[in-house]
Each structure stands twice: as C-alpha cells, then as structure tokens.
Amino acid sequence: MADRSKVFVYPKDVSAFGFDWGRLALTVAPEVNGAERFSGGVVDLPPGKGHTRHNHPGAEEIIFVISGNGEQMIEDEKGNPVVAKVGPGCTIYVPESRFHSTLNTGDQPMQLFVVYSPAGPELALRELPDFRLLPAGA
C-alpha cells in the first residue's frame, strides 16, 4: 500500500530494482506514494554499462542526466537509430513507445533521473531475467 505522506523521498529510502547493467530506485510511483499520472526515479549505471534497446508501449519517458557521460540512442519515427553524446544537465525526451538505449561511456558512474508517463511501464522490468529486488539502503 502506498504511503501518500511520502512527499520527500531519497533513493536510499526505497527498495531498488537491481540488474546486471545497474539499478533503478523508484522514488515516485503509485506503489511508493500514490502518484497517479507518472512515476520516476534514479538510475545508476556503472562505467561501461547501460540498458539495451527497449521501449515502453503507450508511455513517454524523460531522462535527465545528473552526472556522468554516455551515449543515448532513440529511434526516429521510421525506426532509424539516432545517437547523441549526453552529459550532466542534458534532458532527453523519449516519445511514446519509441525504442531507446543508454550506455555509460565514461570512467565514472552515470546517474540519471527518469520519469514515465503514464506510470507503470517500469514494472515490466521485474520480468527481466537479471532482475533482483534490492532492499532499501542497499
């Protein structure tokens, strides 16, 4: 059950989704604090790691680069990959259902803040073979 009083949330205070490529700590979501129209959280990517090409059917995504450097791929409306180097302060818009991927190309960790609208597509990550639920504070 969501705790609607959780309006100030740090990534260390919630369980996280762990993967071979990094982790996602949802700090705002229906199951965290009752958010109804979107969800979001902090993604940590170690050097050389990233998430592979995927999409979120029916949802848009915003990716904000907090720290680190990488390559972002987003397919155009014809399915052609468009790749750009991204770094701190860059906001990336992923249109609805568009395939995309992120790779940390730097020698330092890369941290992102991601927002999904509507909420929900991130829950499909629980079905990935390398998914593991990490306890808060881990």
Side-chain angles (χ1 to χ4, degrees):
M1 178 102 193
D3 180 353
R4 292 188 175 274
S5 69
K6 281 188 173 180
V7 294
F8 302 103
V9 183
Y10 289 90
K12 66 178 179 58
D13 296 333
V14 294
S15 60
F17 296 2
F19 306 95
D20 294 344
W21 52 262
R23 59 186 276 146
L24 165 63
L26 289 175
T27 53
V28 59
E31 64 275 15
V32 174
N33 44 21
E36 295 178 7
R37 294 179 182 89
F38 57 86
S39 60
V42 177
V43 173
D44 293 297
L45 300 173
K49 298 289 185 174
H51 59 77
T52 59
R53 178 185 176 274
H54 68 283
N55 73 340
H56 307 286
E60 296 175 293
E61 182 177 2
I62 297 168
I63 303 170
F64 179 79
V65 181
I66 298 169
S67 63
N69 294 285
E71 265 184 13
Q72 181 67 48
M73 185 283 294
I74 303 173
E75 291 184 355
D76 66 17
E77 57 280 343
K78 294 180 182 178
N80 301 308
V82 177
V83 179
K85 293 193 180 306
V86 297
C90 184
T91 300
I92 302 142
Y93 168 61
V94 182
E96 181 179 337
S97 304
R98 199 75 59 88
F99 282 93
H100 58 286
S101 63
T102 307
L103 175 64
N104 179 350
T105 58
D107 58 1
Q108 298 295 314
M110 186 175 193
Q111 190 170 65
L112 315 168
F113 190 82
V114 298
V115 177
Y116 307 97
S117 179
E122 69 284 355
L123 296 179
L125 294 171
R126 291 175 177 260
E127 305 305 316
L128 294 175
D130 63 338
F131 168 82
R132 58 196 178 282
L133 189 61
L134 307 173

